[in-house]
Amino acid sequence: MSDAGERRDRVHVRAPGKINLFLGVGPLDGDGYHALSTVFQAVSLYEDVIATPSDDFSLAVTGVADPSTVPLDDRNLAMRAAKVLAAATGHDGGVHLEIRKSVPVAGGMGGGSADAAAALVACNELWRTGLGHDRLHELGARLGADVPFALSGGTAVGTGRGDVLTPALARGRYEWVLIPDDEGLSTPAVYRAYDVVRAENGPAFYAGREEIDPFEVPPSFFQALLTGEPEELAGCLRNQLEAGSFRLRPELEETIDREVGGAVLAGIVSGSGPTIALLCEDAPTADRTAERLRARGRAALRAHGPVRGAHVISAAEQR
Ligand code: C5P
Protein backbone atom coordinates (compact mmCIF):
# COMPACT_ATOMS: atom_id res chain seq x y z
CA MET A 1 0.00 0.00 0.00
CA SER A 2 1.27 3.46 -0.87
CA ASP A 3 1.20 6.17 1.75
CA ALA A 4 1.60 8.83 -0.92
CA GLY A 5 -2.17 9.05 -1.37
CA GLU A 6 -2.50 10.77 1.98
CA ARG A 7 0.79 12.66 2.11
CA ARG A 8 1.77 15.15 -0.53
CA ASP A 9 4.90 16.40 1.20
CA ARG A 10 7.14 13.59 -0.06
CA VAL A 11 6.71 11.06 -2.85
CA HIS A 12 9.23 8.28 -3.38
CA VAL A 13 9.25 6.53 -6.78
CA ARG A 14 11.45 3.67 -7.97
CA ALA A 15 12.17 2.96 -11.64
CA PRO A 16 14.22 0.14 -13.16
CA GLY A 17 17.16 0.01 -15.53
CA LYS A 18 16.86 -2.14 -18.65
CA ILE A 19 18.70 -4.58 -20.85
CA ASN A 20 17.90 -4.90 -24.54
CA LEU A 21 17.59 -8.66 -25.03
CA PHE A 22 17.25 -8.11 -28.76
CA LEU A 23 18.12 -4.95 -30.66
CA GLY A 24 17.86 -4.69 -34.43
CA VAL A 25 18.86 -1.30 -35.83
CA GLY A 26 17.24 -0.04 -39.02
CA PRO A 27 18.27 2.98 -41.09
CA LEU A 28 18.57 6.56 -39.91
CA ASP A 29 15.36 8.59 -40.30
CA GLY A 30 15.10 12.28 -41.21
CA ASP A 31 15.18 13.35 -37.53
CA GLY A 32 18.50 11.70 -36.67
CA TYR A 33 16.94 8.59 -35.08
CA HIS A 34 17.15 4.93 -36.12
CA ALA A 35 14.11 2.68 -36.54
CA LEU A 36 14.47 -0.09 -33.96
CA SER A 37 13.12 -3.57 -33.34
CA THR A 38 13.92 -4.30 -29.75
CA VAL A 39 12.92 -6.39 -26.75
CA PHE A 40 13.46 -4.76 -23.38
CA GLN A 41 13.73 -6.44 -20.01
CA ALA A 42 13.50 -4.31 -16.87
CA VAL A 43 16.05 -5.42 -14.27
CA SER A 44 16.46 -4.95 -10.53
CA LEU A 45 18.95 -2.08 -10.62
CA TYR A 46 16.85 0.88 -9.59
CA GLU A 47 16.83 4.62 -9.67
CA ASP A 48 15.00 6.13 -6.68
CA VAL A 49 13.55 9.61 -7.04
CA ILE A 50 12.19 11.48 -4.02
CA ALA A 51 10.06 14.51 -4.83
CA THR A 52 9.34 17.24 -2.27
CA PRO A 53 7.44 20.50 -2.82
CA SER A 54 9.41 23.61 -3.76
CA ASP A 55 8.70 26.99 -5.36
CA ASP A 56 11.29 26.35 -8.07
CA PHE A 57 12.96 23.32 -9.69
CA SER A 58 16.09 21.82 -8.12
CA LEU A 59 17.97 18.56 -8.10
CA ALA A 60 20.38 16.59 -5.92
CA VAL A 61 22.05 13.35 -6.99
CA THR A 62 23.64 10.64 -4.82
CA GLY A 63 25.08 7.20 -5.56
CA VAL A 64 27.56 8.18 -8.27
CA ALA A 65 31.33 7.95 -7.89
CA ASP A 66 31.89 11.07 -9.98
CA PRO A 67 29.08 13.64 -9.50
CA SER A 68 30.35 15.68 -12.45
CA THR A 69 29.03 12.95 -14.80
CA VAL A 70 25.41 13.85 -13.94
CA PRO A 71 24.16 17.31 -14.95
CA LEU A 72 22.00 19.15 -12.42
CA ASP A 73 20.48 21.63 -14.85
CA ASP A 74 18.05 21.33 -17.76
CA ARG A 75 20.30 18.73 -19.45
CA ASN A 76 19.16 16.35 -16.71
CA LEU A 77 16.27 14.23 -17.97
CA ALA A 78 14.50 14.14 -14.58
CA MET A 79 14.57 17.93 -14.38
CA ARG A 80 13.20 18.14 -17.93
CA ALA A 81 10.51 15.58 -17.06
CA ALA A 82 9.30 17.68 -14.12
CA LYS A 83 9.15 20.81 -16.25
CA VAL A 84 7.42 19.04 -19.14
CA LEU A 85 4.77 17.71 -16.75
CA ALA A 86 4.27 21.16 -15.19
CA ALA A 87 3.88 22.73 -18.65
CA ALA A 88 1.49 20.01 -19.86
CA THR A 89 -0.77 20.30 -16.81
CA GLY A 90 -0.52 24.04 -16.08
CA HIS A 91 0.93 23.31 -12.62
CA ASP A 92 2.62 26.50 -11.42
CA GLY A 93 4.71 25.23 -8.47
CA GLY A 94 8.10 23.55 -8.56
CA VAL A 95 9.73 20.50 -7.05
CA HIS A 96 12.95 19.39 -5.43
CA LEU A 97 14.08 16.02 -6.80
CA GLU A 98 16.54 13.82 -4.96
CA ILE A 99 17.88 11.10 -7.25
CA ARG A 100 19.54 8.04 -5.73
CA LYS A 101 21.30 6.27 -8.56
CA SER A 102 22.10 2.57 -8.84
CA VAL A 103 22.04 2.16 -12.63
CA PRO A 104 25.47 2.85 -14.19
CA VAL A 105 25.72 6.39 -15.64
CA ALA A 106 26.00 6.51 -19.46
CA GLY A 107 26.10 2.72 -19.36
CA GLY A 108 23.43 1.71 -21.89
CA MET A 109 20.98 0.59 -19.21
CA GLY A 110 18.59 3.52 -19.43
CA GLY A 111 19.44 5.12 -16.07
CA GLY A 112 18.67 8.65 -17.23
CA SER A 113 15.42 7.40 -18.77
CA ALA A 114 14.52 5.71 -15.48
CA ASP A 115 15.13 9.05 -13.70
CA ALA A 116 12.77 10.77 -16.13
CA ALA A 117 10.10 8.09 -15.75
CA ALA A 118 10.38 8.22 -11.95
CA ALA A 119 10.23 12.04 -11.96
CA LEU A 120 7.06 12.01 -14.10
CA VAL A 121 5.31 9.55 -11.77
CA ALA A 122 6.57 11.33 -8.62
CA CYS A 123 5.53 14.83 -9.71
CA ASN A 124 2.19 13.59 -11.03
CA GLU A 125 1.53 12.19 -7.55
CA LEU A 126 3.01 15.13 -5.58
CA TRP A 127 1.14 17.76 -7.58
CA ARG A 128 -2.05 15.67 -7.87
CA THR A 129 -2.05 16.40 -11.60
CA GLY A 130 -3.78 13.07 -12.24
CA LEU A 131 -2.40 12.18 -15.68
CA GLY A 132 -3.08 8.58 -16.69
CA HIS A 133 -0.59 6.04 -17.99
CA ASP A 134 -1.11 6.91 -21.69
CA ARG A 135 -0.51 10.62 -21.18
CA LEU A 136 2.60 9.99 -19.06
CA HIS A 137 3.85 7.59 -21.74
CA GLU A 138 3.33 10.31 -24.38
CA LEU A 139 5.27 12.90 -22.34
CA GLY A 140 7.95 10.28 -21.64
CA ALA A 141 8.43 9.55 -25.36
CA ARG A 142 9.10 13.26 -25.92
CA LEU A 143 11.90 13.15 -23.34
CA GLY A 144 13.75 10.11 -24.68
CA ALA A 145 13.22 6.89 -26.60
CA ASP A 146 13.67 4.65 -23.51
CA VAL A 147 11.49 6.61 -21.08
CA PRO A 148 8.18 4.85 -21.96
CA PHE A 149 9.72 1.46 -21.19
CA ALA A 150 11.00 2.67 -17.81
CA LEU A 151 7.37 3.59 -17.05
CA SER A 152 6.01 0.20 -18.17
CA GLY A 153 8.73 -2.24 -17.06
CA GLY A 154 8.43 -6.02 -17.39
CA THR A 155 9.35 -7.40 -20.81
CA ALA A 156 8.21 -5.52 -23.90
CA VAL A 157 8.79 -5.21 -27.62
CA GLY A 158 9.76 -1.72 -28.75
CA THR A 159 9.37 -0.46 -32.29
CA GLY A 160 9.63 3.02 -33.80
CA ARG A 161 12.48 4.63 -31.91
CA GLY A 162 12.00 1.98 -29.24
CA ASP A 163 9.19 4.03 -27.71
CA VAL A 164 6.20 2.20 -29.26
CA LEU A 165 5.68 -0.63 -26.81
CA THR A 166 3.85 -3.94 -26.84
CA PRO A 167 4.08 -6.12 -23.73
CA ALA A 168 5.73 -9.49 -24.45
CA LEU A 169 4.62 -12.77 -22.93
CA ALA A 170 7.53 -13.96 -20.84
CA ARG A 171 7.93 -16.60 -18.16
CA GLY A 172 10.64 -17.13 -15.62
CA ARG A 173 13.21 -15.06 -13.83
CA TYR A 174 16.56 -14.36 -15.37
CA GLU A 175 19.77 -13.87 -13.39
CA TRP A 176 22.25 -11.29 -14.66
CA VAL A 177 25.71 -10.03 -13.81
CA LEU A 178 26.35 -6.51 -15.06
CA ILE A 179 29.90 -5.31 -15.69
CA PRO A 180 29.92 -1.51 -15.75
CA ASP A 181 32.76 0.52 -17.21
CA ASP A 182 34.40 3.46 -15.41
CA GLU A 183 33.95 5.58 -18.48
CA GLY A 184 30.49 5.76 -20.09
CA LEU A 185 29.75 5.83 -23.81
CA SER A 186 27.69 8.50 -25.52
CA THR A 187 24.59 6.96 -27.13
CA PRO A 188 24.72 9.21 -30.26
CA ALA A 189 28.44 8.36 -30.69
CA VAL A 190 27.67 4.63 -30.58
CA TYR A 191 24.89 5.02 -33.18
CA ARG A 192 27.29 7.00 -35.40
CA ALA A 193 29.95 4.28 -35.08
CA TYR A 194 27.28 1.71 -35.90
CA ASP A 195 26.34 3.68 -39.05
CA VAL A 196 29.95 3.36 -40.23
CA VAL A 197 29.92 -0.42 -39.63
CA ARG A 198 26.57 -0.67 -41.38
CA ALA A 199 27.86 1.26 -44.41
CA GLU A 200 30.86 -1.09 -44.62
CA ASN A 201 29.08 -4.40 -43.96
CA GLY A 202 25.41 -4.00 -44.87
CA PRO A 203 22.24 -3.73 -42.79
CA ALA A 204 22.14 -7.39 -41.69
CA PHE A 205 25.64 -7.35 -40.15
CA TYR A 206 25.75 -8.73 -36.64
CA ALA A 207 29.11 -8.43 -34.89
CA GLY A 208 30.88 -10.45 -37.59
CA ARG A 209 29.29 -13.69 -36.44
CA GLU A 210 26.06 -14.01 -38.41
CA GLU A 211 23.35 -11.92 -40.01
CA ILE A 212 20.08 -10.75 -38.49
CA ASP A 213 16.97 -9.09 -39.83
CA PRO A 214 17.04 -5.62 -38.23
CA PHE A 215 13.32 -5.16 -38.88
CA GLU A 216 11.98 -8.19 -37.07
CA VAL A 217 12.36 -9.89 -33.74
CA PRO A 218 12.44 -13.57 -34.85
CA PRO A 219 9.56 -15.85 -33.72
CA SER A 220 12.14 -18.15 -32.06
CA PHE A 221 12.93 -15.29 -29.68
CA PHE A 222 9.35 -15.19 -28.37
CA GLN A 223 9.28 -18.97 -28.09
CA ALA A 224 12.42 -18.78 -25.96
CA LEU A 225 10.82 -16.18 -23.67
CA LEU A 226 7.79 -18.44 -23.22
CA THR A 227 9.86 -21.39 -22.04
CA GLY A 228 11.20 -19.38 -19.11
CA GLU A 229 14.49 -21.26 -19.56
CA PRO A 230 17.65 -19.11 -19.41
CA GLU A 231 19.42 -21.59 -21.73
CA GLU A 232 16.79 -20.96 -24.41
CA LEU A 233 16.97 -17.19 -24.07
CA ALA A 234 20.78 -17.28 -24.05
CA GLY A 235 20.81 -18.68 -27.57
CA CYS A 236 18.64 -15.80 -28.83
CA LEU A 237 20.28 -12.70 -27.31
CA ARG A 238 21.27 -10.30 -30.10
CA ASN A 239 22.31 -6.64 -30.00
CA GLN A 240 23.15 -5.28 -33.43
CA LEU A 241 24.26 -1.96 -31.93
CA GLU A 242 27.12 -3.85 -30.26
CA ALA A 243 29.05 -3.39 -33.49
CA GLY A 244 29.16 0.36 -32.76
CA SER A 245 30.21 -0.16 -29.11
CA PHE A 246 32.89 -2.69 -30.14
CA ARG A 247 34.27 -0.26 -32.70
CA LEU A 248 34.65 2.43 -30.01
CA ARG A 249 35.80 0.03 -27.30
CA PRO A 250 37.21 -3.27 -28.67
CA GLU A 251 37.97 -4.62 -25.18
CA LEU A 252 34.22 -5.08 -24.60
CA GLU A 253 34.16 -7.94 -27.10
CA GLU A 254 37.24 -9.47 -25.47
CA THR A 255 35.58 -9.32 -22.03
CA ILE A 256 32.44 -11.05 -23.31
CA ASP A 257 34.47 -13.78 -25.01
CA ARG A 258 36.50 -14.32 -21.85
CA GLU A 259 33.60 -14.42 -19.39
CA VAL A 260 31.07 -16.54 -21.27
CA GLY A 261 31.23 -20.31 -20.87
CA GLY A 262 29.72 -23.09 -18.76
CA ALA A 263 26.95 -21.76 -16.51
CA VAL A 264 27.62 -18.20 -17.73
CA LEU A 265 25.35 -18.79 -20.70
CA ALA A 266 25.70 -15.67 -22.80
CA GLY A 267 27.02 -12.12 -22.78
CA ILE A 268 25.81 -9.03 -24.56
CA VAL A 269 26.42 -5.30 -24.49
CA SER A 270 23.46 -3.59 -22.84
CA GLY A 271 21.92 -1.12 -25.32
CA SER A 272 24.61 1.28 -26.50
CA GLY A 273 26.96 0.08 -23.75
CA PRO A 274 29.50 -0.02 -22.34
CA THR A 275 27.84 -2.10 -19.58
CA ILE A 276 28.11 -5.82 -20.32
CA ALA A 277 25.25 -8.10 -19.28
CA LEU A 278 26.05 -11.77 -18.57
CA LEU A 279 23.09 -14.15 -18.46
CA CYS A 280 23.69 -16.94 -15.95
CA GLU A 281 22.09 -20.34 -15.45
CA ASP A 282 20.89 -19.55 -11.93
CA ALA A 283 21.34 -17.15 -9.00
CA PRO A 284 24.24 -19.02 -7.30
CA THR A 285 26.19 -19.03 -10.59
CA ALA A 286 25.55 -15.32 -11.02
CA ASP A 287 26.64 -14.59 -7.42
CA ARG A 288 29.86 -16.59 -7.90
CA THR A 289 30.56 -14.92 -11.25
CA ALA A 290 30.16 -11.46 -9.72
CA GLU A 291 32.46 -12.40 -6.83
CA ARG A 292 35.08 -13.78 -9.23
CA LEU A 293 35.03 -10.54 -11.23
CA ARG A 294 35.34 -8.41 -8.09
CA ALA A 295 38.25 -10.55 -6.87
CA ARG A 296 39.99 -9.64 -10.12
CA GLY A 297 39.37 -5.94 -9.47
CA ARG A 298 36.41 -5.52 -11.84
CA ALA A 299 33.16 -3.93 -10.78
CA ALA A 300 30.24 -6.35 -11.04
CA LEU A 301 26.58 -5.83 -10.19
CA ARG A 302 23.88 -8.46 -9.63
CA ALA A 303 20.36 -8.10 -10.95
CA HIS A 304 17.39 -10.18 -12.01
CA GLY A 305 14.58 -9.49 -14.39
CA PRO A 306 11.92 -8.86 -15.36
CA VAL A 307 10.74 -6.37 -12.71
CA ARG A 308 7.96 -3.77 -12.70
CA GLY A 309 8.16 -0.25 -14.12
CA ALA A 310 8.19 3.11 -12.28
CA HIS A 311 6.01 2.98 -9.18
CA VAL A 312 5.41 4.82 -5.94
CA ILE A 313 6.89 2.94 -3.02
CA SER A 314 5.43 2.93 0.46
CA ALA A 315 7.18 3.92 3.68
CA ALA A 316 7.41 0.20 4.58
CA GLU A 317 9.38 -0.54 1.41
CA GLN A 318 11.80 2.33 2.01
CA ARG A 319 15.15 1.75 3.60
O1 C5P B 1 16.13 9.38 -27.28
P1 C5P B 1 17.46 9.44 -26.63
O2 C5P B 1 17.74 10.76 -26.01
O3 C5P B 1 17.71 8.28 -25.72
O4 C5P B 1 18.52 9.27 -27.81
C1 C5P B 1 19.83 9.79 -27.74
C2 C5P B 1 20.45 9.75 -29.12
O5 C5P B 1 20.65 8.39 -29.54
C3 C5P B 1 19.63 10.38 -30.23
O6 C5P B 1 19.86 11.76 -30.31
C4 C5P B 1 20.16 9.64 -31.46
O7 C5P B 1 21.40 10.19 -31.88
C5 C5P B 1 20.44 8.25 -30.92
N1 C5P B 1 19.29 7.35 -31.16
C6 C5P B 1 19.07 6.88 -32.43
N2 C5P B 1 18.00 6.04 -32.68
C7 C5P B 1 17.17 5.66 -31.68
C8 C5P B 1 17.39 6.12 -30.36
C9 C5P B 1 18.46 6.99 -30.14
O8 C5P B 1 19.83 7.18 -33.36
N3 C5P B 1 16.14 4.86 -31.95
Side-chain angles (χ1 to χ4, degrees):
M1 279 278 288
S2 161
D3 65 347
E6 291 80 48
R7 281 171 38 197
R8 295 184 212 182
D9 57 337
R10 186 178 190 274
V11 178
H12 185 158
V13 173
R14 180 164 286 175
K18 57 84 186 169
I19 297 169
N20 299 80
L21 305 176
F22 182 94
L23 179 55
V25 189
L28 199 56
D29 69 17
D31 298 325
Y33 275 81
H34 295 73
L36 303 182
S37 291
T38 190
V39 181
F40 295 104
Q41 182 172 94
V43 296
S44 61
L45 288 184
Y46 298 105
E47 299 283 275
D48 280 11
V49 171
I50 293 133
T52 44
S54 174
D55 292 336
D56 50 15
F57 291 83
S58 58
L59 203 60
V61 177
T62 57
V64 279
D66 178 0
S68 71
T69 55
V70 183
L72 297 178
D73 55 17
D74 281 346
R75 287 169 300 163
N76 187 291
L77 223 46
M79 179 73 102
R80 287 226 287 274
K83 290 185 176 175
V84 161
L85 181 69
T89 57
H91 180 79
D92 58 8
V95 67
H96 176 72
L97 298 174
E98 180 195 339
I99 305 179
R100 298 179 185 167
K101 298 190 72 69
S102 299
V103 179
V105 176
M109 293 193 64
S113 301
D115 295 345
L120 283 175
V121 172
C123 293
N124 194 38
E125 187 79 30
L126 186 75
W127 297 338
R128 294 298 176 100
T129 36
L131 296 194
H133 177 270
D134 289 355
R135 206 57 191 105
L136 289 179
H137 185 115
E138 214 176 281
L139 295 181
R142 271 200 243 158
L143 293 159
D146 292 337
V147 180
F149 179 70
L151 287 167
S152 310
T155 308
V157 180
T159 53
R161 296 172 173 184
D163 55 331
V164 182
L165 297 177
T166 315
L169 280 173
R171 290 201 180 92
R173 167 175 159 137
Y174 298 92
E175 300 292 341
W176 299 94
V177 174
L178 287 321
I179 311 178
D181 210 303
D182 285 344
E183 210 181 320
L185 274 173
S186 137
T187 303
V190 172
Y191 274 101
R192 278 197 301 274
Y194 171 75
D195 287 335
V196 174
V197 177
R198 180 190 175 91
E200 289 168 357
N201 298 280
F205 180 79
Y206 174 61
R209 293 198 275 268
E210 59 176 295
E211 301 209 325
I212 67 171
D213 178 353
F215 297 106
E216 198 194 16
V217 182
S220 56
F221 191 93
F222 296 109
Q223 284 155 16
L225 275 179
L226 275 177
T227 67
E229 297 293 337
E231 290 82 359
E232 298 291 327
L233 186 65
C236 297
L237 296 178
R238 301 281 183 278
N239 177 5
Q240 211 178 9
L241 193 56
E242 257 177 7
S245 320
F246 290 164
R247 170 138 319 197
L248 296 178
R249 218 162 277 178
E251 61 273 24
L252 294 177
E253 191 166 17
E254 290 155 23
T255 302
I256 291 175
D257 289 344
R258 192 175 54 240
E259 299 304 329
V260 172
V264 180
L265 303 170
I268 197 165
V269 170
S270 177
S272 54
T275 308
I276 290 169
L278 302 175
L279 177 59
C280 298
E281 196 170 81
D282 50 27
T285 303
D287 290 343
R288 278 197 303 274
T289 303
E291 277 161 28
R292 203 180 60 231
L293 281 156
R294 288 182 203 126
R296 296 207 313 263
R298 295 281 320 237
L301 305 166
R302 277 283 287 117
H304 65 267
V307 298
R308 61 195 291 212
H311 59 282
V312 175
I313 66 167
S314 65
E317 288 172 285
Q318 296 174 27
R319 269 167 285 154

